[in-house]
Amino acid sequence: MLPFESENQIGPPAQLQRQLKQQLRQRMSKRRDSLAEEVRRELSVLACRHAAQLMEQRGLQRMLVYVPFRSELDSRPLIEWAWEAGVEVLVPRSVPRDRSMELYLLRSWDQLVPGAYGILEPDPAVAERHEDAAPDIVWVPGLAFDRKGGRLGYGGGYYDRLHDKLNRLRQDPERNAPGTSKSTMWMGLAYEIQVVDQVPMDRHDAVLDGLVTNEGCTERNGQKHTEGEGWN
């Protein structure tokens, strides 16, 4: 059990927890930004190759993936692989008023326009809204990750809300055919230098099922996060 652990949170009290997260955000942002553009490109190709291999092994046919911004790992090789392989590509569009995400089917790069935060997002005028079925896998960006499913995002809570939304969608029998998996696989996609021993996590923070980096795939066994749980 972690020190200061209580019923409502994991780790230190709320104020200290926020400080720890902010300090880690600053440190990992600098670390990620320090990678040369050519190095980021090479590492991104390797990571996307591992991600595609995982999807092929699992027979996953619908993925939700971010479009890279600034120094994030470049997901575009994975998106282009999916188009060639006949895998559906969903991309989120941020809705700042309630910090939610809308999902759109992306068929080409020209369906993207700068969104609320300057990130390329689907253009609602040309891209098809897709809210009828949950993806088989979600590829999540972030600043820091650990091997226990921990992720440090940017502080907006968008992916945590999306996690809850997709869980409800998966459980809706009217939206999913009989035999459809009842859970969506959540995987981080990052450079190996973004991995730390432990990410400070609160109870409301969504826990990932695994992580793919340029060095390979680490998958967590089971759906619940427990300290010391085994990984493949």
Side-chain angles (χ1 to χ4, degrees), residues 126-142:
V126 296
E128 177 186 345
R129 183 91 176 262
H130 192 99
E131 304 284 351
D132 293 333
D136 299 320
I137 189 167
V138 177
W139 295 105
V140 190

Side-chain angles (χ1 to χ4, degrees), residues 41-60 63 73-75 77-79 81-82 137 139 147 185 187-192 210-219:
R41 184 166 54 250
E42 293 174 354
L43 298 182
S44 294
V45 169
L46 291 173
C48 288
R49 188 176 300 160
H50 293 306
Q53 184 178 25
L54 171 67
M55 293 188 63
E56 287 180 332
Q57 291 174 344
R58 293 297 184 92
L60 306 180
M63 73 173 183
L73 187 139
D74 191 348
S75 59
L78 179 60
I79 293 173
W81 164 83
I137 189 167
W139 295 105
R147 307 278 185 198
M185 194 173 190
M187 298 290 291
L189 191 59
Y191 307 108
E192 186 67 26
L211 174 65
V212 169
T213 74
N214 47 285
E215 293 191 5
C217 174
T218 307
E219 189 178 339

Side-chain angles (χ1 to χ4, degrees), residues 86-104:
V87 173
E88 286 189 352
V89 177
L90 304 180
V91 171
R93 177 177 178 269
S94 300
V95 183
R97 67 174 180 274
D98 60 359
R99 294 188 177 185
S100 65
M101 285 179 167
E102 298 173 345
L103 308 186
Y104 288 81

Side-chain angles (χ1 to χ4, degrees), residues 22 25-26 40-41 44-46 48 69 71 83 97 112 117 122 124 126 136 170 190 214 218 224 228:
Q22 186 57 30
R25 282 192 181 99
Q26 293 173 354
R40 289 203 300 265
R41 184 166 54 250
S44 294
V45 169
L46 291 173
C48 288
F69 184 62
S71 62
W83 284 337
R97 67 174 180 274
L112 297 174
Y117 302 101
V126 296
D136 299 320
R170 275 291 187 187
N214 47 285
T218 307
K224 294 183 179 179

